[in-house]
Amino acid sequence: MTTRVRITDVSPRDGLQNEPGVIPTSEKVRLVELLRAAGVDEVEVSSFVSAKWVPQLGDAAEVFQGLAPAGMQERGAGGVRQTSRTVCLSALVPNNQGMQAALDVNARAGRKLIEKVAVFTAASETFSQKNTHATIAETIERFRPVVEAARHEGIEVRAYVSCIIACPFEGPVAPERVIDVARQLLALGIDDLDLGDTIGAGTPETIDALLRRFDEEIGIDSHGAITTLHLHDTFGRAAECVKAALDRGVTSFDGSVAGLGGCPYASTPGRRAPGNISTETLVRTVHAAGHVTGVDLDALEVAAAYAREVVTRARAAAAKGGAA
Ligand code: HMG
Ligand code: MG
């Protein structure tokens, strides 16, 4: 059966948070506009986290403020086209402080510019501590006021579970641990449960085994929220994992245009780990499996070329010790 598959591009957030340099705000804005023009369903634009920990995304509010009104996106290097549907713009928030910063953006814009926020925890205690200085239980407590505020404002909530296959500190992670955290997140009343293979350790076999257990215990498409798969492509097997997940009934995936990213925990000295699965590979894999997306691959290639240009410039500047 042909399914309409939902595509979220997380490159402006997951991709750029791992860059050694800080990309100028205007270039981030342009990248987001090119992704909107390519017809992805959602762009994860930035994070309202501590700039002390993630200085690369310290301009989250400014990036949102720089975006064009919904429906007016630039196509390629040429003119502006009116899109028939709007693209959901989302942001990562770790706690209520981040949520309030996101709400301030909407208040200043006078509209729901940010339509979805994403909270994040992990199936590994050590990763949770390293990433957010909190236990898994503490992160979930932090999410309660976020979900409450989101409900009040009519904003959707995505919740990530990192380390669904393996943790860079603890090694393999059993599916039961993922399912336990997923249940707690679903009980909060989230709209999108995002399963993250943070270090790209997944194989088609391990992804299939996890999703089979998940389907038996919770149900991939029967828990009232979307189930999304967020793959990193460290060992080049992410496209095979997408196929395995499609076969299990997953209909929502994250990608990062040009494969931006590269988890610092998966890198070795002198060698950057590859980033998230590239959105181009993701979309081609979905189409090759006989399913459809809203993405225009030519327009996506324009966004990918721009993303490569921007990070190449920023990496060169960072290597020289200056700003981009
Ligand atoms: P904290 O420092 O551990 O503790 O922050 P805190 O809550 O006591 O706050 C201390 C300071 O941070 C205070 O400032 C707060 O105001 C400030 P000070 O008094 O020292 O000047 N603060 C904030 N500032 C801005 N925005 C906020 C905020 N909250 C507190 N929201 C925190 C806890 C979680 C904020 C911090 O540890 C943090 O920002 N960590 C970064 C986490 C992150 O962005 N990780 C990467 C994203 S997750 C990921 O990539 C995985 C994913 O892709 C899925 C996958 O692949 O698996 C999603
Ligand atoms: Mg990620």
Side-chain angles (χ1 to χ4, degrees):
M1 198 180 76
T2 300
T3 303
R4 169 67 166 80
V5 173
R6 193 171 192 283
I7 304 290
T8 299
D9 189 287
V10 297
S11 62
R13 196 280 302 170
D14 208 354
L16 300 187
Q17 78 182 10
N18 288 311
E19 284 302 317
V22 179
I23 310 285
T25 305
S26 60
E27 295 183 4
K28 293 175 179 169
V29 168
R30 183 159 169 74
L31 175 61
V32 175
E33 296 296 13
L34 291 172
L35 292 167
R36 289 165 100 186
V40 296
D41 296 284
E42 178 176 338
V43 182
E44 199 169 81
V45 173
S46 195
S47 290
F48 292 96
V49 295
S50 165
K52 198 167 66 187
W53 297 109
V54 189
Q56 294 91 333
L57 304 182
D59 59 353
E62 290 74 20
V63 175
F64 276 105
Q65 280 154 17
L67 295 172
M72 291 291 287
Q73 280 90 49
E74 215 175 310
R75 179 191 269 287
V80 172
R81 70 164 180 160
Q82 185 83 37
T83 56
S84 56
R85 65 186 173 88
T86 58
V87 174
C88 175
L89 300 177
S90 58
L92 215 63
V93 302
N95 52 18
N96 204 30
Q97 191 172 334
M99 182 63 182
Q100 293 309 314
L103 292 179
D104 285 349
V105 167
N106 282 359
R108 273 197 295 276
R111 65 198 159 91
K112 218 163 48 182
L113 182 56
I114 301 173
E115 290 177 281
K116 194 191 239 186
V117 291
V119 295
F120 51 103
T121 186
S124 147
E125 282 294 353
T126 312
F127 188 85
S128 180
Q129 286 286 357
K130 298 258 184 199
N131 201 27
T132 58
H133 306 148
T135 63
I136 297 168
E138 284 166 347
T139 60
I140 291 171
E141 280 312 306
R142 287 176 180 177
F143 301 159
R144 281 186 206 286
V146 173
V147 177
E148 223 167 89
R151 283 284 155 271
H152 188 259
E153 299 292 329
I155 291 173
E156 286 187 50
V157 180
R158 152 179 280 199
Y160 282 101
V161 185
S162 288
C163 304
I164 58 164
I165 301 295
C167 166
F169 311 104
E170 295 183 11
V173 169
E176 291 69 26
R177 292 165 70 188
V178 179
I179 288 163
D180 177 45
V181 176
R183 278 195 210 284
Q184 297 179 57
L185 292 169
L186 288 166
L188 293 176
I190 58 165
D191 305 281
D192 181 349
L193 179 74
D194 200 330
L195 302 174
D197 179 14
T198 317
I199 55 168
T203 63
E205 294 76 23
T206 53
I207 290 287
D208 181 67
L210 169 67
L211 292 174
R212 183 171 45 77
R213 280 301 304 278
F214 185 90
D215 205 24
E216 286 164 4
E217 300 278 333
I218 295 181
I220 285 173
D221 59 1
S222 60
H223 50 63
I226 311 165
T227 302
T228 298
L229 190 60
H230 174 104
L231 296 165
H232 286 251
D233 205 9
T234 313
F235 303 106
R237 304 207 66 187
E240 291 171 79
C241 294
V242 169
K243 284 187 67 184
L246 286 166
D247 289 346
R248 281 270 164 216
V250 174
T251 59
S252 174
F253 294 87
D254 295 344
S256 170
V257 81
L260 294 194
C263 176
Y265 302 121
S267 299
T268 46
R271 185 181 171 272
R272 270 180 83 82
N276 295 65
I277 183 171
S278 84
T279 310
E280 308 88 284
T281 300
L282 168 62
V283 170
R284 285 200 182 90
T285 305
V286 168
H287 292 178
H291 304 295
V292 295
T293 67
V295 178
D296 173 339
L297 272 167
D298 291 338
L300 192 64
E301 289 296 351
V302 173
Y306 185 69
R308 278 189 287 271
E309 179 192 318
V310 159
V311 299
T312 302
R313 191 162 46 237
R315 285 174 193 173
K320 276 199 224 144

